[in-house]
Amino acid sequence: MIYGTFAQLYDELFESDMYQQWREFVENRLPKNARTILDVAGGAGRLGVLLAQDGYQVVDFDFSEEMLSLAFKHAQEAQVPMTLVQGDMRDLNGLEQYDAITCFADSLCYLDDFNDVQATLKQMAAHLKDDGWLLFDVITPYQTDEIYPGYMYNYEDPDEQRAFLWRSYADDDVEHGVIHELTFFNHLPDDHYQRLHETHFERAYELKDWREALLKAGFNQIEVKADFGSQAIDEKTTRWFFTCRKQVN
């Protein structure tokens, strides 16, 4: 198969075990009567398909049409229903209210600044039913400041047809900012290599800022854990997992 887009390569090489862990996190946190889920930044629908297999009615919401086209393929292959919606997470107008909203893979950390984060959290609260739940994860300042600078990851598949290079370094212009350089090399039938490259910018925020933003958005029950909700957080936690309940007026 010839991969022509970054989305296809990213979907193929992303660690599949993480989707199972997110699935378990959702299952362990949502009440039994929760049936509808809006998966914000759901991408290629890998998690959405798993949740649909569990009986949830899932809407995969993502900015990328390429990712959503892959989600359509995955849902068809799994023979599960899943609604696909293209849009910007900062503006969920036109969508319904849901029992739960999920947003994983530190997707909120890719927004430009904390004003965008706050606006997105307000949009999410507005599109949750009373007693609805928001589940999401974000990277921590420890991850951006201590782990990512100088981080490198290289991968080549067993048949030597594809290679993936990932480099991260600190963004000196942004507090708790990090820059990811992602490069794919794809072996073509004519024995040449196709090179695809993207630069991603992320930033982390202090835990107190997240708590304040969530309270301001309308969430009155906020739990923060590490390791997909299985461990308490500490000063070296690299990713926070949030379980938030919408305040009932």
Side-chain angles (χ1 to χ4, degrees):
M1 178 178 183
I2 299 176
Y3 291 85
T5 69
F6 180 88
Q8 288 173 310
L9 288 162
Y10 181 85
D11 177 50
E12 180 72 15
L13 296 178
F14 195 90
E15 188 176 349
S16 60
D17 288 348
M18 292 192 71
Y19 294 114
Q20 291 290 346
Q21 291 175 292
W22 281 315
R23 176 192 205 175
E24 293 172 7
F25 179 69
V26 172
E27 291 175 341
N28 292 337
R29 291 301 188 278
L30 292 187
K32 298 298 183 183
N33 62 347
R35 301 314 321 150
T36 58
I37 296 178
L38 173 66
D39 189 21
V40 174
R46 296 286 191 177
L47 176 61
V49 165
L50 295 176
L51 295 174
Q53 289 174 335
D54 293 334
Y56 293 103
Q57 300 171 35
V58 181
V59 176
D60 182 347
F61 183 93
D62 199 86
F63 188 76
S64 169
E65 291 185 9
E66 290 178 335
M67 282 292 190
L68 290 173
S69 69
L70 292 172
F72 178 77
K73 183 187 75 169
H74 296 324
Q76 282 194 318
E77 291 172 346
Q79 297 183 329
V80 295
M82 188 165 63
T83 302
L84 309 176
V85 179
Q86 192 275 333
D88 189 321
M89 71 170 74
R90 294 167 295 185
D91 182 5
L92 304 179
N93 289 325
L95 296 178
E96 301 175 0
Q97 286 189 316
Y98 304 88
D99 296 319
I101 293 177
T102 57
C103 186
F104 294 121
D106 42 280
S107 296
L108 288 167
C109 297
Y110 287 91
L111 295 172
D112 290 338
D113 55 42
F114 208 63
N115 289 329
D116 282 346
V117 171
Q118 181 71 76
T120 301
L121 293 175
K122 288 182 177 179
Q123 283 283 305
M124 290 175 169
H127 288 83
L128 280 173
K129 298 175 183 177
D130 288 345
D131 290 319
W133 295 86
L134 170 62
L135 309 178
F136 69 96
D137 63 24
V138 293
I139 53 174
T140 67
Y142 181 79
Q143 176 79 0
T144 58
D145 301 353
E146 302 295 333
I147 303 299
Y148 271 146
Y151 177 83
M152 294 185 65
Y153 174 77
N154 299 328
Y155 170 84
E156 184 179 37
D157 65 6
D159 60 4
E160 300 181 347
Q161 296 302 300
R162 290 169 295 154
F164 172 48
L165 309 179
W166 173 6
R167 296 184 301 164
S168 298
Y169 48 95
D171 187 344
D172 295 331
D173 296 327
V174 176
E175 185 178 16
H176 305 316
V178 63
I179 302 172
H180 304 297
E181 299 285 354
L182 308 178
T183 305
F184 289 96
F185 292 93
N186 193 32
H187 192 201
L188 301 177
D190 63 4
D191 216 27
H192 288 81
Y193 281 86
Q194 176 191 40
R195 180 181 183 273
L196 297 172
H197 177 83
E198 284 197 1
T199 301
H200 292 188
F201 298 87
E202 279 194 278
R203 62 188 304 180
Y205 302 95
E206 301 293 339
L207 183 56
K208 65 178 180 62
D209 295 326
W210 284 107
R211 291 186 184 276
E212 291 173 2
L214 286 162
L215 288 169
K216 187 176 180 181
F219 295 95
N220 66 340
Q221 182 177 324
I222 303 167
E223 178 189 74
V224 189
K225 294 283 189 177
D227 297 328
F228 293 89
S230 65
Q231 301 292 329
I233 63 173
D234 59 30
E235 69 277 1
K236 291 188 177 181
T237 297
T238 58
R239 185 182 295 269
W240 291 319
F241 289 81
F242 285 80
T243 303
C244 311
R245 174 178 171 270
K246 179 181 176 179
Q247 182 174 353
V248 179
N249 295 323

